[in-house]
Amino acid sequence: MKEGLNLNYVASECFNSFYSPQSDLFSVGTVMYHLLFGMPPWFKDISKFKSDRTKAEDILIEERKKPILFPSVSEEIVDFDDSILKILKKSLQQDPENRFQSANEFIQCLNGEIEIEDVDTIQKVKSDNKDERKIKTQKAKGKGFDAIAGLDDLKKEMKRSVIDVLQDPEKAERYGAKIPNGMVLYGPPGCGKTFFAKHFAEEVGFNFMLATPSTLKSRYINATQENIAKMFEDAEKNAPTIIFIDEINELLPNRDSDSHEMAKSAVNEMLAQMDRTGEKGIFIIGATNYPDMIDPAMLRSGRLEKKFYLPPPDFKLRKALFEMSLNQRKKVLDFGIDYDRLSNLTENYVSSDIESIVNEATSMAMADDSRITIGLLEKVIKSFNPFPKEELRKYQTIKAKWMAKILNKKRTTTNWL
């Protein structure tokens, strides 16, 4: 959050580094309220707390628990439309899920294209002081790694260093192998980290919990820590459980960076909860596009100690992705599609690119009332760009750095022995 920003106009969830389009619409509503009534809603003079932003944020959060006031302006503004008040009430809801969900919806209400209901008349069951977000646990059933074509070296390394230990803890104990607590999957966006994690859970045979920063982070004091603690409590009840946390850098940012105190508290809570989770039948997988932004303490031994780079799909996986996606369109697919050629043409394309290429080719064929041909697919591929090589080198540099640390640690241990 930029320094010097007037916090009276900022949505409460932003104080905890959680941003969304709904956060922007809150700020728009605040400006509209100011224009109508001469000051922001729940206005507090926080200028004396410039050196202590956490204190200023806490004051505003407390103030926003009070009902919002709407002074009468009908005598001052000719033909004032009361629907504006309904729009403001919805824009200024403390829970982002209760606000307008898009700028388009907001504009349509302003234009009178959508009739809006007064939020005061809508009955909702809420917690008095925190968000209630359920993280579902599901039984991991499926083909495991057999459902993932390619990436054979990565799957082999995971099986040796993680899966075999998790599946046979007694054998691991006999050999003195340590049961790992967790791992990080890192790599470019669109490479299927969530997809890979689910099949990892199937391969191991554990239950699977999917969490995101938005399900764990809260604007309320201590609520994020409580959400994290509850997640681990539920995981232990349903053990053996894999907890998959997507975009984990958002939940556990480096505490040496300019992160909020509430974010630092989340890191501390996570560190405390991860004590000997492996022995409790809990395994953590964190996925991120920005591995260098995770707090270093989370990556040390006993926490997310295993790190696996998930690169763009290799030749075998690209071919399988094209086959899987195009075979769903058999009725309009041309004969003799050369899948090897399609795979060769898409080196360094991520999984989501391949899905988009097939979708675009399908759309173009449907518009022309024609079949999906190899020529059409090649044309669409040329309109897409592979993931930049310089960006891939950044991930490879991080991988090399982590591998060097592991090798150095092994040498140090060997020399000591």
Side-chain angles (χ1 to χ4, degrees), residues 188-320:
C191 283
K193 290 182 280 292
T194 305
F195 176 80
F196 196 93
K198 285 183 178 179
H199 287 296
F200 176 91
E202 293 169 2
E203 187 75 17
V204 180
F206 282 21
N207 292 319
F208 185 77
M209 293 177 71
L210 173 61
T212 64
S214 62
T215 58
L216 294 171
K217 288 170 71 173
S218 173
R219 60 184 177 275
Y220 296 110
I221 305 298
N222 297 327
T224 302
Q225 295 97 297
E226 291 172 13
N227 291 340
I228 291 172
K230 181 68 165 56
M231 175 180 69
F232 277 90
E233 181 185 333
D234 291 344
E236 189 170 358
K237 286 179 182 176
N238 293 286
T241 306
I242 286 174
I243 299 175
F244 175 71
I245 305 176
D246 202 7
E247 298 178 342
I248 196 168
N249 57 287
E250 291 286 337
L251 179 68
L252 307 172
N254 192 330
R255 287 170 293 178
D256 291 336
S257 66
D258 187 23
S259 58
H260 191 278
E261 284 302 318
M262 290 171 75
K264 294 176 182 178
S265 297
V267 177
N268 293 332
E269 179 66 29
M270 194 76 179
L271 290 171
Q273 290 292 339
M274 283 198 69
D275 183 34
R276 299 169 67 186
T277 52
E279 297 176 16
K280 299 174 185 176
I282 302 171
F283 187 76
I284 314 298
I285 303 178
T288 180
N289 302 326
Y290 305 100
D292 50 343
M293 294 175 67
I294 301 173
D295 190 274
M298 288 303 309
L299 302 173
R300 292 176 189 151
S301 179
R303 279 98 184 219
L304 303 176
E305 55 196 272
K306 302 290 184 180
K307 293 98 175 172
F308 295 101
Y309 172 49
L310 196 62
D314 56 19
F315 176 90
K316 188 176 178 181
L317 180 52
R318 293 195 304 273
K319 180 180 177 180

Side-chain angles (χ1 to χ4, degrees), residues 140-182:
K141 293 181 179 179
K143 297 180 179 179
F145 280 169
D146 288 341
I148 305 173
L151 301 176
D152 295 330
D153 289 342
L154 175 60
K155 290 186 289 188
K156 184 178 179 181
E157 172 59 21
M158 278 191 173
K159 182 168 175 53
R160 182 193 64 79
S161 63
V162 178
I163 294 174
D164 288 348
V165 180
L166 292 176
Q167 286 183 328
D168 195 347
E170 292 181 2
K171 182 178 179 181
E173 185 179 0
R174 192 164 68 248
Y175 276 85
K178 182 179 163 187
I179 298 175
N181 284 348

Side-chain angles (χ1 to χ4, degrees), residues 9-29:
Y9 297 88
V10 177
S12 300
E13 66 270 12
C14 297
F15 300 160
N16 197 26
S17 301
F18 176 57
Y19 306 95
S20 70
Q22 289 73 41
S23 308
D24 295 333
L25 292 172
F26 177 93
S27 297
V28 172

Side-chain angles (χ1 to χ4, degrees), residues 1-12 14-15 23 26-28 30-31 34 38-48 50 53 56-57 60 64:
M1 193 179 296
K2 293 182 179 178
E3 295 295 330
L5 193 65
N6 190 328
L7 298 180
N8 280 289
Y9 297 88
V10 177
S12 300
C14 297
F15 300 160
S23 308
F26 177 93
S27 297
V28 172
T30 304
V31 172
H34 191 163
M39 66 173 60
W42 305 290
F43 176 76
K44 296 294 288 186
D45 183 5
I46 53 176
S47 57
K48 57 185 174 183
K50 284 184 178 179
R53 195 170 73 184
E57 292 171 355
L60 284 175
R64 289 173 182 178

